[in-house]
Each structure stands twice: as C-alpha cells, then as structure tokens.
Amino acid sequence: MDDAERRRATRAIGVGAAFFVIGLLITVLTYSHASGSGGVYVVAWGPMLFGGIRMIIGLFLLAKSKR
C-alpha cells in the first residue's frame, strides 16, 4: 500500500510541476514578446495556481505515506 501511495504522490508532484512550468513559460514568453514590440502579454496564473496546489497535495501525500 505504501508503494502505491508514493507513486500517487510523486505523480501529483510531477503533474503539478508540469502545469506550473507551462504557466510560467506562457507568462515569460508572452511578456518577452510584448516588451520588445509593445504589445499585450498573458499572465497564466491558472495553470501556475493549479500546479502549485497539485504539488502541495503531492507533498502531503508523500509525507503521509512515509508515516
């Protein structure tokens, strides 16, 4: 049972990190493009928030599985 919980926790951390990085990349890339040409940029806070929450959930699950 502990092995399945650890896999679930590491998967949640990985998915969360992926969403966070995607949101961060969207923000950085659109900002860098807008700063050069004077356009509009997107702050992709949705994927970053979702990713952060998933990573926190994964960390709690990982701590719980080690007890």
Side-chain angles (χ1 to χ4, degrees):
M1 186 80 169
D2 284 336
D3 199 32
E5 288 177 354
R6 281 193 199 110
R7 278 196 306 267
R8 186 174 160 213
T10 54
R11 185 173 199 171
I13 293 169
V15 168
F19 269 90
F20 188 85
V21 168
I22 289 168
L24 188 63
L25 280 173
I26 291 169
T27 302
V28 169
L29 292 175
T30 59
Y31 179 77
S32 67
H33 186 271
S35 67
S37 64
V40 177
Y41 65 97
V42 175
V43 177
W45 61 270
M48 289 189 286
L49 180 65
F50 176 76
I53 291 170
R54 290 300 301 170
M55 285 190 288
I56 291 170
I57 289 171
L59 289 172
F60 278 122
L61 289 172
L62 192 61
K64 182 181 171 185
S65 71
K66 290 186 178 185
R67 280 191 240 167

